[in-house]
Amino acid sequence: MGPTCAHSRHLVTVHAVGRADLERLPVACLLRELLNGRSPDRLISDGLPDLGNVLTWAAQIGDALVAAHRARHLHRDIDDRDRAVGASEPPATWPVAGPP
């Protein structure tokens, strides 16, 4: 099966996938779009965000998951380190891995 693309303004672009050795151990690598903004854990350290914002972010993450799943992509977990909330942009979420 060839590569597929997931399209959502809430997903980052993956430019390349590769393998490398890190301290003699093979690791997978992704070259992806830079996430600007702050991670949710840093945002929360300044105080709890407004409930309306939290619900909006949850809906945007859900939209990203739907787009990824429709393109047969998956992500192993959903983690604060995989998301960024920008001042004027919607949160970008995680890179996704395509089918093997």
Side-chain angles (χ1 to χ4, degrees):
M1 178 181 299
T4 59
C5 295
H7 298 284
S8 169
R9 63 185 280 202
H10 306 296
L11 290 171
V12 298
T13 301
V14 175
H15 299 288
V17 178
R19 295 189 185 271
D21 288 329
L22 179 64
E23 298 180 3
R24 298 183 185 188
L25 295 173
V27 294
C29 339
L30 294 175
L31 175 60
R32 64 178 173 99
E33 175 183 358
L34 175 65
L35 290 177
N36 292 313
R38 299 170 63 195
S39 64
D41 59 335
R42 286 199 175 172
L43 189 68
I44 291 171
S45 70
D46 292 340
L48 291 178
D50 175 71
L51 179 60
N53 287 339
V54 172
L55 294 174
T56 297
W57 300 333
Q60 291 168 342
I61 291 167
D63 289 345
L65 279 170
V66 167
H69 291 171
R70 282 186 179 151
R72 299 188 49 166
H73 292 271
L74 59 92
H75 191 272
R76 67 178 173 84
D77 61 6
I78 300 175
D79 187 297
D80 282 343
R81 295 170 296 177
D82 297 329
R83 297 186 304 276
V85 178
S88 62
E89 298 179 10
T93 59
W94 49 86
V96 292

